[in-house]
Amino acid sequence: MEIHVARPAGTCYGVERALKLAREAARNAKGAPVASLGELIHNPQAVDTLRLIGVDVVTDLSDLSPSCEGIESTLIIRSHGVAPSVIEDAEARGVQVVDATCPHVARVQEAAEQLAHEGFTVLIVGEPDHPEVFGIHARAGKKSHVVTGASDLPPFESLSGERVGVVIQTTQTAEALNEVVEELRDKVAELRVVNTICSATTRRQQATEALAHQVDVMVVVGGHNSGNTRRLYEISKEVCPHSYHIETSAELEDAWFDGAEKVGITAGASTPEDQLQSVVARIGEIDEVKVDDCE
């Protein structure tokens, strides 16, 4: 059995940057409380590792332990970003803020804010309950809507005569954006589209699809709460029916690989390399294998 690892796969620049900032904040804390507002990244194992070095998770600013005498508490803004009011509130409380918002996410926020400033009704293509979308929506203001796809668009009569701007959650697919744009075309007064899909997301999706065409079984590694990992799984499943989404090697089942000659492995943008390699090693124990990192 051969194992082929998609490349690129695993953590992207934005995730690596967030993890680095969190580790630095923990080292510099000098005993003061450090916490991220929500999980720093959508990877439960990585979040647990951060807890071991003193980076807790809070869901509300009021949950952050008060500053020690002479030492500020530190709040880390997760890679998905937040509404500007959250940072303003934290600073007003005397909390030191470390902004680990992914630069690509910050670009979407800025694009949405600029469109709103220019008078556009802003449509955000993405998951309504995703933290990244919350922050984008806040920047886009009251004349904005979150849509999951073309079927979720507001009634066209409400958009008739409107100048409409479109942005998209960084981990969505180009297909989702194109469907919305085609549905809007010629139905609004002006349409401006800012393609804010992260290039790292696109490259991982392309590598996953290409590899899925070449193997008998695909394993997608990453948090079950990770949107970009779920999309890799969906892309893989369409091409390779024997595709499986796991968080850790402990979830692997030997029966998945019965009769398989080639196994493909990919990983979401919030999956550290050690987790990916753990899966490679575990599959390697099932049979004598040749491992190939695809480039």
Side-chain angles (χ1 to χ4, degrees):
M1 184 169 66
E2 297 177 1
I3 297 177
H4 300 268
V5 182
R7 292 298 178 191
T11 47
C12 62
Y13 166 75
V15 167
E16 290 286 358
R17 174 179 175 272
L19 291 170
K20 178 183 177 182
L21 289 172
R23 294 184 192 112
E24 289 176 351
R27 283 197 300 269
N28 298 332
K30 299 178 181 178
V34 179
S36 63
L37 186 61
E39 293 185 342
L40 185 74
I41 61 174
H42 278 156
N43 185 288
Q45 292 72 37
V47 171
D48 287 343
T49 299
L50 289 174
R51 282 194 179 96
L52 293 176
I53 63 171
V55 180
D56 292 324
V57 177
V58 296
T59 57
D60 189 87
L61 283 175
S62 61
D63 297 328
L64 183 63
S65 300
S67 300
C68 305
E69 185 175 343
I71 304 177
E72 292 180 324
S73 295
T74 299
L75 182 74
I76 305 171
I77 302 302
R78 65 197 299 175
S79 59
H80 307 99
V82 294
S85 59
V86 174
I87 296 177
E88 294 167 4
D89 189 8
E91 292 175 340
R93 293 168 181 252
V95 173
Q96 180 178 338
V97 175
V98 173
D99 191 352
T101 302
C102 172
H104 291 289
V105 174
R107 175 174 167 256
V108 191
Q109 294 176 340
E110 291 164 3
E113 189 171 36
Q114 182 62 32
L115 286 168
H117 178 72
E118 294 181 22
F120 285 83
T121 294
V122 181
L123 298 184
I124 304 158
V125 183
E127 302 168 71
D129 58 351
H130 194 283
E132 177 185 327
V133 174
F134 292 156
I136 299 167
H137 199 186
R139 293 290 190 106
K142 295 180 179 179
K143 281 187 65 178
S144 62
H145 307 271
V146 178
V147 298
T148 57
S151 62
D152 195 29
L153 286 168
F156 286 116
E157 53 267 26
S158 69
L159 296 176
S160 179
E162 290 285 320
R163 302 168 69 220
V164 176
V166 181
V167 297
I168 184 167
Q169 184 181 345
T170 57
T171 56
Q172 291 286 315
T173 64
E175 288 74 16
L177 177 62
N178 292 338
E179 286 175 5
V180 168
V181 171
E182 286 305 313
E183 196 68 27
L184 288 170
R185 197 182 302 277
D186 302 325
K187 295 177 181 175
V188 296
E190 180 182 348
L191 180 62
R192 184 179 298 179
V193 181
V194 185
N195 183 348
T196 49
I197 298 173
C198 173
S199 59
T201 294
T202 301
R203 291 196 301 273
R204 281 158 179 74
Q205 291 174 353
Q206 292 171 342
T208 295
E209 182 174 8
L211 182 56
H213 278 288
Q214 304 169 31
V215 299
D216 305 304
V217 177
M218 276 289 290
V219 177
V220 183
V221 187
H224 291 301
N225 60 342
S226 165
N228 77 83
T229 305
R230 287 197 304 272
R231 267 175 286 286
L232 291 182
Y233 169 69
E234 291 163 0
I235 290 168
S236 178
K237 187 76 172 176
E238 286 185 5
V239 176
C240 178
H242 298 292
S243 294
Y244 305 93
H245 177 185
I246 64 171
E247 279 190 3
T248 71
S249 58
E251 297 173 58
L252 290 167
E253 297 182 19
D254 291 5
W256 295 348
F257 308 99
D258 287 347
E261 295 182 3
K262 295 183 179 181
V263 175
I265 304 176
T266 189
S270 52
T271 307
E273 183 68 19
D274 61 335
Q275 292 180 18
L276 172 58
Q277 291 304 322
S278 174
V279 171
V280 173
R282 173 66 187 86
I283 296 175
E285 294 171 358
I286 297 171
D287 193 6
E288 186 175 337
V289 298
K290 174 186 175 183
V291 179
D292 176 32
D293 269 21
C294 303
E295 295 294 340

